[in-house]
Amino acid sequence: MVELKGRQVSLGSIPPVIWMTLFLIVVYSIFAPGFLSGRNALNIAIQAAPLFVVSIGMTMIILTEGIDLSLGFVAGLAGVVTSLMLQAGHPVALAILGGLASGTLCGLVNGFLVSIASLPTFIATLGVGSVAYGIGLIATGGRSIPALQESFRFIFQGSVLGIRMPIVIALVVFGVTYVFMHFTAYGRNVVGLGGNPQALRTAGVNIELARLLVYVYGGLLAAVGGLMVAARTASGYAAAQEGWHFEAIAATVVGGTSFREGRGRIANTILGVLLISVLRNGLNIAGVHNMYQYGLIGVTVVTAIVLDVLFTKARDR
Amino acid sequence: MKEQRIALAQGRWTLEKFDLRRYLPSLIRWFVLVGLVVVLTILNEYFFTWNNIINVLRQATILTIVSVGLTTVLLTGGMDLSVGGTMALVGCLAAQLMKAGVPIPLAVVIGLAAACLVGLLNGILVGTLDLPPFVATYGTYWITEGAAMILMRGAIIFGLPRSFRIVGTGYVGAIPVPVIITAVLIVLGHLFLTKTAAGRDIYFVGSNRDAAYYSGVRVRKTLLSVYVFSALMAGIAGLIMTARLDAAQAGMGQPFVLQGVAAVIMGGTSRIGGEGGIPGSVIGAMILTLVVNGMNLLGVSSLAQTLVVGLVILFAVGLDQLRLRWTD
């Protein structure tokens, strides 16, 4: 038992994700010179920001007992749309709006299929993702489209009041979503959607609309994340964020959000994103090739999920 | 009510007995398949030739085998997104072993054993640890894909032994070897599902897991067996693909995850489990293969294929949803 803010906290009640992150930090500090520095910590935060933005949307969707396997391709499409609009000579603000609109539209289609047409979430979103990917491929001929405008790249490379833009965007998105989820009736409905939708319906809530809006928001956030990456790489590419929905799901689940009963909080997703980002950053510094990283992330994520399930079972007992 | 019962007893068709809505999806499936053949025959004179028909059948083998395995998993109400990774892992592993001089049968057996291990892992994660199937199998997809990448180090292997390549390119009479293998697997799988107790358990677990458990079905064992079966089928598909292309590469199984799931659902196996079967999945796989083959024949850019497959999937689930609503 440890005393923390006057509360008794048992060491065993700390979620496994924190243990695993601490473990990784210790291992990397020993084996990857240069890992343990303030500069690198800032680096991790900047690298983690786009994934965090997408994961917030994914967490909300998972809280409604849904899933969205299109987010990675939606993010890629948003980058493609913005780059193509920039290439065509449209003003930067309009191009960004266009990218965000494409993501929102994909979210709307997802929401319609899942909520109104009541298709199974993960097959419907897999299909929409495949369509979004196909559109991105056809629009670009499978090539990467340059987006070199300084004012566009500002959304990743710039800084406001000395804070780098990705961190600013992530904090703003988190703040808005947090207030929304915890202090508005609609936000509480989202949590209720996973727990007991029938009770909500009886209480007069339009649960179809609430569920639809969650997917729309998820699509919008995917586009925000996609544009951040497009600004970082100065290009739009349909397959740029192919693995994102996996990483976002992983971050959400590792953070302790359950697929059943709408249990979990968006704040916990920070921990999941942190674990994945620390893992990736350390592997990069240690010079581990990209191809090993896929397998290692898979193993870590599955381990974390299994530990979390066992941990929850043990605690409930 | 009484008249209807008499009509039934006399063997006359009544609305009760012949509910068109129940048979509609199956009719639509056949209609789509036949319609595709007719349209492609009209659009391209080369399509309805013996060579191209054999070619289409051979193209369909890999997807069909994957779908046969996936059918059993979906019948239990589960999902296996790891099949693409398993295909790549088995293909790459067997190819590397053969390149290293290991005898072909041994390389094949080791490859398929690796597939079974992946299936075992899926089965334990889903059946024993009770993880959501598609999260667990998405995780193993990444693990197997990563393992394949590590095996290959980014390269492509080619120049495999001739006697292995027969599996993908050989003929018995006029029929390609992979088509024969596929036909055997389809028949065996179908007999297993419909004629054995273990097969009926699969349907039982899918339609009502709790009821199955309380009537003495060993649910965990059933779940374990379907995931192992699915991985084994994916492994066989990976071997055939490697033999046909005379090449193995990490990532080679990727398109088959989505297409396999689409084929099974289009084939009428309900995503909520307990309903459907292998014959439907075979038709689903044929439809998807014809769509891709037709796009190639008509010169549609390969970039459009993801888009079309995505639309086909949405159409298929939409149909499944309508059927569920109608038969409720």
Side-chain angles (χ1 to χ4, degrees):
Chain A
M1 292 285 187
V2 204
E3 195 94 9
L4 188 71
K5 286 189 199 162
R7 277 190 297 174
Q8 292 283 313
V9 176
S10 133
L11 280 178
S13 74
I14 298 176
V17 56
I18 296 183
W19 290 120
M20 288 186 71
T21 311
L22 289 176
F23 172 74
L24 279 178
I25 291 177
V26 171
V27 171
Y28 284 148
S29 305
I30 299 168
F31 292 107
F35 174 81
L36 199 65
S37 66
R39 196 192 156 93
N40 191 45
L42 182 66
N43 232 338
I44 293 178
I46 291 172
Q47 282 171 357
L51 178 63
F52 179 57
V53 170
V54 178
S55 302
I56 289 176
M58 186 66 93
T59 306
M60 287 178 69
I61 292 170
I62 290 180
L63 276 175
T64 68
E65 289 194 334
I67 191 88
D68 194 334
L69 297 180
S70 71
L71 292 185
F73 296 123
V74 171
L77 181 63
V80 163
V81 168
T82 299
S83 316
L84 283 174
M85 285 179 76
L86 287 174
Q87 204 180 38
H90 292 288
V92 171
L94 191 65
I96 291 177
L97 270 182
L100 297 180
S102 71
T104 313
L105 188 68
C106 290
L108 193 64
V109 176
N110 276 329
F112 174 79
L113 292 177
V114 168
S115 183
I116 313 290
S118 54
L119 296 187
T121 53
F122 71 100
I123 302 175
T125 54
L126 208 58
V128 170
S130 182
V131 171
Y133 182 44
I135 293 175
L137 280 180
I138 295 170
T140 60
R143 288 185 299 272
S144 132
I145 306 294
L148 301 166
Q149 280 81 342
E150 276 309 313
S151 43
F152 171 59
R153 302 205 64 199
F154 178 81
I155 65 173
F156 196 88
Q157 308 292 3
S159 43
V160 171
L161 302 173
I163 307 171
R164 284 287 300 274
M165 272 304 278
I167 298 177
V168 173
I169 295 175
L171 286 178
V172 167
V173 168
F174 176 70
V176 168
T177 317
Y178 189 85
V179 169
F180 185 65
M181 293 281 283
H182 291 267
F183 298 102
T184 68
Y186 176 78
R188 282 191 287 265
N189 287 347
V190 168
V191 181
L193 278 176
N196 193 343
Q198 281 319 315
L200 273 183
R201 193 197 291 277
T202 317
V205 176
N206 186 343
I207 60 171
E208 277 80 21
L209 185 67
R211 178 167 280 149
L212 183 125
L213 288 178
V214 170
Y215 283 88
V216 173
Y217 191 58
L220 173 65
L221 291 190
V224 172
L227 291 188
M228 287 162 85
V229 174
R232 185 182 71 202
T233 58
S235 64
Y237 179 48
Q241 288 92 30
E242 236 182 326
W244 254 13
H245 26 271
F246 173 71
E247 289 186 25
I249 294 169
T252 304
V253 178
V254 167
T257 297
S258 161
F259 273 90
R260 285 156 218 167
E261 304 137 18
R263 213 147 30 89
R265 297 213 305 274
I266 53 168
N268 288 4
T269 301
I270 298 180
L271 297 174
V273 173
L274 203 63
L275 174 65
I276 292 177
S277 304
V278 166
L279 179 68
R280 192 149 256 175
N281 173 277
L283 289 174
N284 279 334
I285 289 183
V288 175
H289 194 283
N290 205 23
M291 64 188 183
Y292 295 96
Q293 295 192 7
Y294 286 109
L296 281 170
I297 292 176
V299 170
T300 311
V301 165
V302 171
T303 313
I305 295 174
V306 169
L307 281 179
D308 193 63
V309 168
L310 295 178
F311 172 75
T312 316
K313 271 187 184 164
R315 197 183 45 193
D316 289 350
R317 198 161 287 149
Chain B
M1 206 47 207
K2 196 182 168 193
E3 275 171 26
Q4 279 176 352
R5 237 178 285 145
I6 296 169
L8 259 181
Q10 290 171 341
R12 281 194 281 127
W13 291 115
T14 68
L15 199 65
E16 284 283 310
K17 194 176 180 199
F18 185 75
D19 188 353
L20 180 70
R21 293 176 301 185
R22 244 194 112 67
Y23 295 92
L24 200 58
S26 156
L27 284 175
I28 292 178
R29 216 152 39 232
W30 278 104
F31 182 76
V32 170
L33 183 61
V34 174
L36 268 174
V37 172
V38 170
V39 168
L40 287 173
T41 310
I42 295 170
L43 286 178
N44 190 310
E45 77 269 31
Y46 176 69
F47 176 77
F48 208 72
T49 57
W50 174 255
N51 273 343
N52 191 51
I53 291 172
I54 287 292
N55 191 23
V56 168
L57 285 180
R58 198 171 37 202
Q59 274 182 11
T61 52
I62 297 165
L63 180 58
T64 308
I65 295 175
V66 172
S67 311
V68 165
L70 271 173
T71 307
T72 61
V73 173
L74 266 81
L75 277 175
T76 64
M79 175 53 64
D80 188 353
L81 295 177
S82 70
V83 285
T86 310
M87 280 177 71
L89 176 62
V90 173
C92 295
L93 183 61
Q96 285 284 21
L97 288 173
M98 280 179 239
K99 273 286 181 189
V102 174
I104 296 166
L106 189 61
V108 168
V109 168
I110 293 176
L112 293 181
C116 291
L117 274 182
V118 176
L120 214 55
L121 178 62
N122 282 333
I124 290 171
L125 290 176
V126 173
T128 313
L129 290 173
D130 215 17
L131 294 188
F134 64 96
V135 179
T137 56
Y138 209 9
T140 43
Y141 169 69
W142 277 58
I143 295 176
T144 46
E145 195 60 58
M149 282 183 183
I150 292 169
L151 268 174
M152 306 303 284
R153 292 169 205 286
I156 302 176
I157 294 189
F158 52 92
L160 298 168
R162 187 173 296 268
S163 44
F164 171 67
R165 283 166 49 199
I166 288 176
V167 175
T169 56
Y171 284 85
V172 174
I175 313 290
V177 174
V179 175
I180 295 173
I181 297 176
T182 310
V184 170
L185 290 175
I186 292 171
V187 171
L188 285 182
H190 184 61
L191 288 179
F192 171 72
L193 272 183
T194 51
K195 301 285 182 233
T196 67
R200 280 191 292 271
D201 284 352
I202 291 174
Y203 281 90
F204 201 177
V205 169
S207 56
N208 193 335
R209 194 168 164 167
D210 290 336
Y213 178 77
Y214 287 115
S215 6
V217 174
R218 283 192 281 177
V219 175
R220 281 182 186 174
K221 208 181 111 191
T222 304
L223 288 177
L224 207 63
S225 68
V226 294
Y227 283 98
V228 171
F229 181 69
S230 170
L232 187 62
M233 288 298 121
I236 294 174
L239 287 175
I240 291 181
M241 190 173 180
T242 308
R244 198 180 93 200
L245 301 177
D246 185 21
Q249 184 190 5
M252 68 187 207
Q254 209 193 4
F256 293 94
V257 182
L258 206 57
Q259 293 189 17
V261 174
V264 174
I265 291 179
M266 222 168 9
T269 295
S270 179
R271 60 187 161 79
I272 55 172
E275 233 184 281
I278 288 174
S281 306
V282 174
I283 297 181
M286 285 305 301
I287 292 177
L288 268 182
T289 309
L290 278 181
V291 169
V292 172
N293 180 272
M295 288 201 299
N296 286 338
L297 280 180
L298 300 177
V300 179
S301 154
S302 63
L303 294 177
Q305 285 182 8
T306 3
L307 178 71
V308 173
V309 171
L311 289 175
V312 169
I313 290 170
L314 290 179
F315 176 72
V317 234
L319 212 61
D320 186 46
Q321 185 63 30
L322 281 182
R323 192 180 54 90
L324 285 176
R325 199 168 282 178
W326 281 340
T327 49
D328 251 358

